[in-house]
Amino acid sequence: MGFCPFGAKEETMPLSFRGGINPDEAKKNSRSPLVEMLAPDFVTLPLLQHQGAVAKPLVRVGDRVLKGQIIADGEEGEVSAPIHASVSGVVKAIEPVPTPQGDSVEGIVIENDYKDERSPEVKPFSTPIAQTEPEEIIRFLRNKGIVGEDGLPTWWKIASARGKAKRLIVNGTECEPYLSADHRLLLEKAAEVVGGAKILMKALDCEKAVFAIADDKEDGAEEILKAIRNTPVFSIALFRAKYPQGDERLLVNSLMRKEIPAGKEAWDVGAVAFGVQTCRSVYQAFVTGMPQVTKCLTVGGECVKEGANLSVPLGSSFAQVIARCGGVLKTPKLLIAGGPMRGKAQGTDQVSVTKTVSGILCLDEKKKTEGPCIHCGRCARVCPMGLMPLELYRASVSKKIAPLRRYRADVCNECGCCAYICPSRIELVTSIRRGKALLAKEGEGKE
Amino acid sequence: MEWNCKTAAPYLNQEESTRTIMMDVLIALLPATLWGIYAFGSRALTIVLLSILSSVGMEALYQKARKKTVTVSDLSAVLTGLLFALCLPVGVPLWVVPLGAFVAVILTKQLFGGMGKYFINPVLVAKFVLHLLAPRYVTRLTEPFTKMSPFALWVSPEALADSVQTQSAWEALGEGILPQEGTLSALLTGTVPGCIGEVSALLLLAGFLYLAVRNVVTWHIATVFVSTFSFLNFLFPVSAQFRLESVLFPLFSGGLLLGAIFLATDYVTSPMTVGGKVMYGALCGILTFVFRLFFSAHLGLILAVLLCGGVGRYLDRLFIPRPYGVERKNAFLHLWNSLLAFLQKQGSQIKPLLKKKK
């Protein structure tokens, strides 16, 4: 294989974990190069694009804003991330808008004046990284509003992991079907990704960095290899392409043979993972000063005319992005934000692209009838967490607490492998989620 | 555009469904069925078709009458019908067939909640009930290629007199009757007396290979069942003089292969963990051996697998896999380690099976 100049041993690669699935049906669109989408007439920016507190608007209706200008921010001390204008124009409205997560939060609507005028706030980082204190990097990243695909503000993740994480993992596994934006970034912007990783390493004060890449992206790994030549602290680890390898718990398990106990985070076992896009956004923020105002995502599904990997201005609606891809061949039954395994079906295509939307899928749902559980055991064979989903399903349906506790419903990471493999098409994730809620309520009742 | 987005992730499903799984089992049974029809004549075809039609018809009628969704398209009733037919000798009166279908599909399966909710194997219950109600009819095994009327409701014993045998090859061995030339190959190809589907060992094994390749059943249950059973027959041969035959004859006659490959591996009554499957297979093998000492070949097998099926699902509890992030041994290893700890106190130097996690 030849991809491990330093670090993990060649004979143990590709790394993997127990269980997991390999959906063949959803072919990835890795051939389409990353294309920048032009900003549309209107952008609608929800003020909550991360896990944490909602940002408060800093502008009013009628104000003229410039591209990259900060328009909303959370309070000092809150886990929050600022929102920046992705176009220059006039603030048309500040009103409740739908989010891809299904909530309704305050959002700022900006009418694009097509002047693409940059804000004077957009300034590159002045000092070389080697001479910078980690706190300054963290503060700079906070001001640039960078949020990871898991919804955690990057500055907060670095601040929490500092001192505990000895190893930085750049998550290039992109295990969800259909999604290929990360793959394109590895192929086209490998140097920027590596640059971002270097900045993150400095901020985290950690010793090693590993680029975790799935073996269906070996060409991406080659590009990274070229970019990391002569840097002994970097290495590449190749993983078997399997869903859900990108889940942090499994990444840490496959790479370091450690397990993150329930309730703890990755940095409690000495590692922290950041996505490929986050690294690139960090690099861009430092080199150009531009905050996070775009999102690289994949548009796919059988109903879309031309699937593509796009760099979309934040706040564009799903409808506009789909129109950019030639529109739909026929009305999709499902419009999904994210991947088909963990994404969320949307109720309207007027919802905006936010910092956590990794894909827009227009799927034609096949008719599936749910049958009874035939006790075949396939779900238990694929569960990456080592659980027995059919027992959890039975316990959930009969609302019994004892089996939920015995079969550890709390360990479930809702990856969906069980529901994918079930021949009776049972909605296992939904029932297990209900079971988890029951268990949590029972736990609260006791305290 | 607007949607009603009630569904939740994941939005992908793999191709396999309950129907395709049942279809695979039917395909695996096809060679043995076709041979049964060829060997035992058109009466066998009548029995097979009657059984399938009765099972499907009864299930559909019951579900319609109880205002439930009719689920016959998942092919499980077809499979029950076919398996039941294959367990019958060709000389049975035809009224036995719908009766058995009724016991299997209605009494054992539908009354307890339908697919997935029964607690013992329906086909085995039907066969067992018939052994109780009409023992002579279900133990009259006839030679293959005997002419018999395909539609006669009842075949008189006189008409079959020359070709009836109620003993299988190894029972004869146990009584000191020497094995004849070619008995083994006859057992393998299927020219010995027996029930419709159980005579040809090779075709049944071919079916097993198909199921294993298609990943419908894992190899554990059938293999451990057969190995344990054969091992016990090796240790306690029915005839000390003919050791090889004592191991092979019980294996290839009396419905053992049909039972081990197709009846014991029923999803609903068998465990799903690997440890559970191994234990279940061993239990089946041991019980079949023991029961066959007291009952006839068929009844012994039926009772053994029936009882094991009753506890099959509970065996999984001993082998619950270790969840991610949880430091726990499963019950079996826990017992083993406790035993070792006890022995260690008595002064022996055995190392525990599980080392402490770093």
Side-chain angles (χ1 to χ4, degrees):
Chain A
M1 241 159 279
F3 283 129
C4 49
F6 327 98
K9 295 186 244 329
E10 194 159 333
E11 53 281 11
T12 58
M13 294 221 242
L15 303 166
S16 198
F17 57 92
R18 66 173 156 175
I21 54 168
N22 250 317
D24 294 322
E25 305 88 28
K27 288 283 176 267
K28 294 200 184 220
N29 191 3
S30 306
R31 297 275 157 81
S32 302
L34 209 50
V35 176
E36 274 193 35
M37 174 175 149
L38 295 172
D41 295 336
F42 280 88
V43 294
T44 308
L45 295 159
L47 298 188
L48 182 67
Q49 301 190 20
H50 49 266
Q51 287 185 39
V54 184
K56 312 260 183 338
L58 300 171
V59 295
R60 282 175 307 214
V61 178
D63 285 357
R64 179 146 192 276
V65 293
L66 302 171
K67 184 171 176 182
Q69 175 180 339
I70 193 168
I71 56 174
D73 201 354
E75 315 260 317
E76 195 62 44
E78 268 181 347
V79 178
S80 192
I83 312 279
H84 302 79
S86 48
V87 293
S88 61
V90 177
V91 175
K92 271 294 172 181
I94 301 181
E95 58 191 8
V97 297
T99 66
Q101 282 71 36
D103 320 307
S104 181
V105 294
E106 203 78 338
I108 299 179
V109 184
I110 306 174
E111 187 180 8
N112 193 356
D113 64 7
Y114 287 101
K115 296 213 180 104
D116 207 26
E117 212 177 302
R118 286 195 176 194
S119 163
E121 294 170 12
V122 176
K123 274 196 309 259
F125 197 71
S126 40
T127 23
I129 297 295
Q131 295 150 22
T132 320
E133 285 302 314
E135 285 82 17
E136 287 178 49
I137 300 181
I138 294 176
R139 206 174 316 125
F140 186 77
L141 287 178
R142 191 195 186 288
N143 290 338
K144 295 301 173 186
I146 298 178
V147 174
E149 240 169 55
D150 52 5
L152 295 175
T154 307
W155 71 266
W156 180 83
K157 214 165 165 179
I158 299 173
S160 312
R162 274 205 65 204
K164 295 190 199 165
K166 295 282 168 291
R167 197 189 298 225
L168 165 69
I169 306 176
V170 178
N171 189 349
T173 53
E174 199 166 40
C175 51
E176 284 245 24
Y178 289 108
L179 304 184
S180 48
D182 279 3
H183 190 178
R184 292 310 308 178
L185 278 174
L186 288 175
L187 285 173
E188 299 169 26
K189 310 278 182 204
E192 295 186 17
V193 174
V194 173
K198 287 186 184 149
I199 299 169
L200 287 172
M201 273 189 76
K202 184 72 171 69
L204 286 164
D205 254 344
C206 65
E207 308 157 350
K208 288 191 281 194
V210 179
F211 287 85
I213 300 176
D215 63 8
D216 60 347
K217 300 185 234 309
E218 283 199 31
D219 44 2
E222 278 194 46
E223 294 296 318
I224 294 282
L225 190 63
K226 285 187 213 153
I228 66 174
R229 282 258 143 84
N230 307 320
T231 323
V233 293
F234 283 155
S235 63
I236 297 180
L238 220 52
F239 290 78
R240 198 180 300 279
K242 197 163 57 159
Y243 174 82
Q245 183 66 77
D247 183 304
E248 219 170 36
R249 305 191 110 78
L250 296 168
L251 206 53
V252 164
N253 186 27
S254 304
L255 189 63
M256 295 161 53
R257 297 275 177 266
K258 285 198 191 158
E259 293 181 357
I260 307 174
K264 294 273 202 282
E265 300 288 346
W267 45 86
D268 294 318
V269 295
V272 64
F274 288 96
V276 162
Q277 278 198 52
T278 310
C279 292
R280 191 217 176 192
S281 305
V282 166
Y283 179 82
Q284 284 204 313
F286 270 71
V287 162
T288 64
M290 185 56 84
Q292 186 162 9
V293 290
T294 55
K295 180 81 178 101
C296 295
L297 50 77
T298 309
V299 182
E302 45 283 8
C303 295
V304 132
K305 195 147 183 234
E306 292 159 20
N309 295 305
L310 296 175
S311 174
V312 174
L314 287 177
S316 316
S317 72
F318 278 28
Q320 286 161 336
V321 179
I322 297 170
R324 168 67 177 71
C325 291
V328 292
L329 294 168
K330 55 172 164 165
T331 311
K333 294 263 168 51
L334 283 172
L335 177 66
I336 298 175
M341 298 299 296
R342 274 208 166 114
K344 186 127 184 19
Q346 300 300 306
T348 164
D349 61 357
Q350 296 308 312
V351 67
S352 320
V353 169
T354 60
K355 297 175 184 174
T356 53
V357 173
S358 49
I360 296 178
L361 302 177
C362 303
L363 295 183
D364 199 15
E365 192 184 15
K366 294 176 212 71
K367 182 173 181 298
K368 31 177 195 165
T369 33
E370 187 172 313
C373 171
I374 59 174
H375 199 257
C376 66
R378 281 163 172 77
C379 53
R381 266 183 260 163
V382 296
C383 179
M385 296 281 123
L387 303 173
M388 294 169 94
L390 50 48
E391 297 290 352
L392 290 173
Y393 167 71
R394 266 176 83 203
S396 210
V397 161
S398 55
K399 300 211 175 52
K400 292 199 183 141
I401 298 291
L404 284 172
R405 208 174 278 137
R406 183 189 315 132
Y407 293 106
R408 296 304 301 256
D410 55 317
V411 173
C412 170
N413 66 352
E414 298 179 28
C415 63
C417 291
C418 50
Y420 171 82
I421 206 99
C422 180
S424 295
R425 311 279 190 255
I426 299 179
E427 302 243 341
L428 285 166
V429 178
T430 317
S431 2
I432 296 179
R433 216 177 265 150
R434 258 187 240 129
K436 283 166 92 169
L438 260 175
L439 200 58
K441 222 179 346 164
E442 187 70 18
E444 269 168 45
K446 283 213 167 129
E447 277 155 35
Chain B
M1 284 185 278
E2 303 255 323
W3 290 268
N4 181 2
C5 56
K6 284 266 176 65
T7 51
Y11 301 103
L12 272 186
N13 269 107
Q14 44 104 23
E15 287 298 315
E16 221 183 12
S17 65
T18 311
R19 185 123 148 269
T20 60
I21 294 176
M22 297 290 154
M23 183 69 89
D24 272 336
V25 183
L26 289 171
I27 293 174
L29 279 170
L30 204 58
T33 312
L34 290 175
W35 172 262
I37 296 174
Y38 169 69
F40 291 107
S42 45
R43 191 179 174 80
L45 181 62
T46 318
I47 292 178
V48 166
L49 288 177
L50 184 60
S51 183
I52 294 178
L53 283 170
S54 320
S55 309
V56 173
M58 285 191 207
E59 182 164 276
L61 278 172
Y62 177 85
Q63 285 174 331
K64 268 224 171 74
R66 291 287 302 263
K67 304 252 189 339
K68 299 184 184 191
T69 24
V70 176
T71 60
V72 290
S73 61
D74 71 359
L75 299 182
S76 58
V78 174
L79 185 60
T80 308
L82 181 60
L83 272 174
F84 178 62
L86 295 180
C87 288
L88 293 172
V90 71
V92 289
L94 289 182
W95 56 263
V96 157
V97 179
L99 176 64
F102 177 75
V103 173
V105 172
I106 306 293
L107 292 186
T108 323
K109 185 173 156 196
Q110 289 302 332
L111 277 185
F112 285 92
M115 184 62 180
K117 300 205 174 65
Y118 49 86
F119 64 98
I120 35 176
N121 195 317
V123 174
L124 288 174
V125 173
K127 192 84 204 291
F128 179 64
V129 164
L130 287 178
H131 263 276
L132 292 178
L133 293 180
R136 280 168 301 144
Y137 296 134
V138 290
T139 51
R140 261 186 346 188
L141 310 173
T142 48
E143 286 272 346
F145 307 113
T146 318
K147 273 229 164 297
M148 233 182 281
S149 160
F151 298 113
L153 285 175
W154 182 72
V155 183
S156 66
E158 293 77 40
L160 303 171
D162 291 331
S163 58
V164 168
Q165 273 187 34
T166 51
Q167 270 184 348
S168 45
W170 65 272
E171 282 166 317
L173 193 64
E175 293 187 356
I177 302 170
L178 295 172
Q180 289 164 322
E181 282 276 333
T183 311
L184 191 59
S185 57
L187 281 171
L188 284 174
T189 53
T191 42
V192 286
C195 300
I196 299 175
E198 70 185 28
V199 284
S200 174
L202 282 177
L203 292 178
L204 287 170
L205 286 172
F208 176 60
L209 273 172
Y210 178 76
L211 289 180
V213 158
R214 292 282 296 170
N215 210 14
V216 170
V217 292
T218 50
W219 55 269
H220 308 92
I221 295 179
T223 317
V224 174
F225 186 163
V226 161
S227 317
T228 323
F229 181 71
S230 302
F231 184 64
L232 284 170
N233 274 310
F234 176 76
L235 287 182
F236 307 103
V238 73
S239 158
Q241 201 181 2
F242 299 100
R243 265 213 129 97
L244 179 67
E245 284 82 356
S246 301
V247 169
L248 293 181
F249 282 13
L251 185 58
F252 295 139
S253 64
L256 188 93
L257 280 180
L258 188 65
I261 298 171
F262 293 96
L263 292 171
T265 52
D266 176 36
Y267 287 148
V268 185
T269 48
S270 61
M272 53 172 185
T273 53
V274 170
K277 284 182 180 171
V278 169
M279 186 180 264
Y280 175 77
L283 203 61
C284 282
I286 296 170
L287 279 184
T288 310
F289 177 79
V290 167
F291 284 179
R292 273 183 166 186
L293 295 175
F294 302 108
F295 303 107
S296 74
H298 280 105
L299 196 56
L301 175 70
I302 291 167
L303 272 179
V305 183
L306 203 54
L307 286 179
C308 288
V311 297
R313 279 172 111 151
Y314 297 96
L315 290 176
D316 276 331
R317 287 215 196 170
L318 294 175
F319 296 96
I320 301 176
R322 187 189 64 83
Y324 177 99
V326 174
E327 280 230 16
R328 186 177 56 75
K329 308 158 211 159
N330 62 43
F332 185 66
L333 282 170
H334 188 79
L335 277 171
W336 177 249
N337 278 355
S338 313
L339 177 66
L340 289 177
F342 171 74
L343 289 174
Q344 265 187 319
K345 274 201 211 135
Q346 308 301 316
S348 56
Q349 298 291 319
I350 315 169
K351 280 205 207 90
L353 208 56
L354 275 189
K355 293 200 185 63
K356 253 226 134 80
K357 260 197 140 61
K358 288 213 179 93

